[in-house]
Amino acid sequence: MLALRLTRAARPAVQLRRLLVAAASAGTGLLLLSSLAHALAHPEAADAAALRLAWCAAPLTATVYLALAVARTDPGTRPRAGLSAAGLGPAGLMALTALTTALSCALGSLLALLLFLHLRGDLTGLPFDGAAAGLLAAGQPLPVPAAVTLLTVLPVTATAAVAVALRPREPRPPVRAARRFGRFGASGGSPGTETFGAYGRFRARAAAGTRAPARPHPADPPATGAAGTAVGGRSRTRGRTATDGGGPAPGTTGTNADGRAMGADGGGPGPGIAARPELPVPALDTGVRSPAGLPWGVALVTAGLAAQAYAGRSAPVPGLALLLGWLLIGTGLVLAGPGLTHLCGTLLQAGRPGVLRLLAGRGLMAEAARLGRPLGVVCAVASAGCALTALPGGPAPDLGPLSALGALVVGGATLATLFTAAVESRQYRADTTATLLRLGARPALLRGAAALRAAALSALCGPLVLAVALLSALPLSR
């Protein structure tokens, strides 16, 4: 009852995202049932039926990815005060989110079954004057176990993906470095390997020209005069004469503006004084590392283009080779998406960036892993659509109602996933945004940074989509 109340008490935006998952599930279920109907109507064409079923993997994957993105942005996945005592700890919240995903997908599958039966004429007769009778095998009896099996694939897959992605993870203890011992059991060790007898070798521990100045003997009299004054039995050298307030006194040494020792002539260090070594300025550690999937993504995209070029050599293009090529291209773009997003953020900060470019670039670098993968999926879908339109005949002669439904499900699910990932990114940046506003940043500046991020990603992904589409359509247009 508590889980049901938490599900019903969600905001309208959360309920809208769940309805999007149900709609995508309904479209995918209808495509799966239509492949079953094609197999019933054409039992002699088993290869064509298997190919239709294989093409249903694209909307199935897009719908599962959308369900996973919606589950990540669900407020029910965040721990709340007092819920652990009521039995909803991390594991309980994960189970609640997985149950909500299963209900949304099951609702969509049920709607798909009802619509399929209605179009076949099994409920109230053939609608639309029997226009869908040939596509859905209206005169054939429907095998119930096969239909139920196909309809349960999507809820089970989406629920398992959400449960695996949102499972509670134990915090890993910090890795302690192994303690090393130096000579005679001293803690630590030398950074480099030393040869035998190096410790006792003359001047082996001090570099040439960096010998420290000799310490004065306690029995020596304190220095007095114009350059120093004895205070309490100790000598304090001021490095200035009593007559002028300029540089150091003759025969003495002083320090310049950088804090380095200089001689009487103001040039280099004085005799017997060690020159302070120049310490390298450490680079600013932002905690953002570049994703490592860009080379693998480029390699997979190249392999997919090669597979499509090989498939275009034969007159009837084999559908399996074409599907394999697009699968490799899509996987490569998904792997390369975080790297491309990180690269886009780096290019935004090139030169001498201002506040706007710096905020936009740092935001893209920090959210590269979260935004890059949905962006890669959108690039893959857009490339496939542009490749279909780039063919000589165009997609109009072969594009039927089921193909249009599949394109609508894949395109809509990928765009909804990208927008959901943007919502998740905004939720993770809520504390940073509140801190910037509290420090005096204008809201217009934050909106400008978000618009600049979107424009930069569009400028980077647009030519990439067109290039992949043209290269993939070139072998097929011969």
Side-chain angles (χ1 to χ4, degrees):
M1 184 59 67
L2 179 60
L4 181 60
R5 288 183 178 180
L6 290 176
T7 304
R8 291 179 54 190
R11 295 177 299 176
V14 179
Q15 302 290 359
L16 178 61
R17 290 195 290 266
R18 292 171 181 171
L19 289 178
L20 287 177
V21 174
S25 303
T28 305
L30 189 59
L31 290 173
L32 290 172
L33 291 176
S34 66
S35 65
L36 175 62
H38 184 270
L40 292 175
H42 305 85
E44 71 282 353
D47 296 339
L51 185 59
R52 279 176 174 260
L53 188 61
W55 274 107
C56 292
L60 178 66
T61 306
T63 306
V64 170
Y65 199 37
L66 174 61
L68 181 58
V70 171
R72 287 181 183 275
T73 58
D74 196 346
T77 59
R78 304 191 193 98
R80 305 178 189 177
L83 288 183
S84 297
L88 285 179
L93 291 177
M94 181 271 297
L96 173 63
T97 307
L99 179 61
T100 305
T101 304
L103 289 177
S104 300
C105 295
L107 176 62
S109 299
L110 181 60
L111 290 177
L113 179 62
L114 292 178
L115 182 59
F116 180 76
L117 294 177
H118 176 67
L119 292 177
R120 276 172 50 92
D122 296 338
L123 297 180
T124 58
L126 286 174
F128 306 112
D129 298 331
L135 293 175
L136 303 180
Q140 300 289 335
L142 182 67
V144 178
V148 172
T149 302
L150 289 176
L151 289 178
T152 54
V153 168
L154 180 58
V156 170
T157 306
T159 305
V162 170
V164 171
L166 301 182
R167 68 185 185 277
R169 297 178 177 87
E170 295 292 336
R172 297 181 179 179
V175 180
R176 295 184 177 180
R179 186 176 181 182
R180 298 183 302 171
F181 295 93
R183 297 181 185 88
F184 310 108
S187 177
S190 59
T193 305
E194 297 179 352
T195 58
F196 179 75
Y199 183 77
R201 193 175 299 138
F202 178 68
R203 296 185 67 179
R205 309 292 289 183
T210 59
R211 187 176 181 181
R215 298 176 60 183
H217 197 273
D220 293 341
T224 58
T229 304
V231 180
R234 294 184 179 179
S235 169
R236 184 174 63 186
T237 304
R238 300 192 181 271
R240 299 178 182 269
T241 60
T243 57
D244 57 1
T252 62
T253 59
T255 57
N256 55 9
D258 297 335
R260 293 177 293 185
M262 66 179 183
D265 55 351
I273 299 222
R276 183 175 297 177
E278 293 289 342
L279 298 178
V281 179
L284 181 61
D285 186 12
T286 59
V288 179
R289 295 185 178 182
S290 176
L294 184 58
W296 295 101
V298 173
L300 286 178
V301 169
T302 306
L305 293 175
Q308 289 193 349
Y310 178 77
R313 295 173 59 183
S314 58
V317 179
L320 187 59
L322 189 62
L323 179 62
L324 177 62
W326 276 115
L327 182 61
L328 290 176
I329 290 176
T331 307
L333 288 175
V334 171
L335 287 179
L340 291 176
T341 307
H342 192 276
L343 177 62
C344 187
T346 305
L347 293 178
L348 275 179
Q349 305 173 78
R352 301 179 63 182
V355 179
L356 184 63
R357 284 201 297 148
L358 191 62
L359 279 177
R362 290 295 180 186
L364 282 180
M365 292 174 64
E367 303 295 333
R370 189 172 290 111
L371 291 177
R373 293 186 181 91
L375 186 63
V377 175
V378 171
C379 289
V381 173
S383 300
C386 293
L388 288 177
T389 56
L391 293 177
D398 297 331
L399 188 61
L402 295 179
S403 301
L405 177 61
L408 180 62
V409 169
V410 173
T414 52
L415 286 178
T417 304
L418 182 59
F419 291 145
T420 306
V423 171
E424 181 186 4
S425 175
R426 188 181 63 179
Q427 291 177 356
Y428 275 88
R429 290 199 317 267
D431 296 338
T432 305
T433 304
T435 303
L436 290 175
L437 292 176
R438 188 168 59 251
L439 291 177
R442 295 175 300 172
L445 177 64
L446 301 180
R447 290 194 296 267
L452 183 58
R453 284 194 295 266
L457 289 177
S458 302
L460 181 65
C461 296
L464 175 65
V465 167
L466 293 178
V468 172
L470 291 178
L471 289 176
S472 59
L474 184 60
L476 303 178
S477 60
R478 294 177 182 177

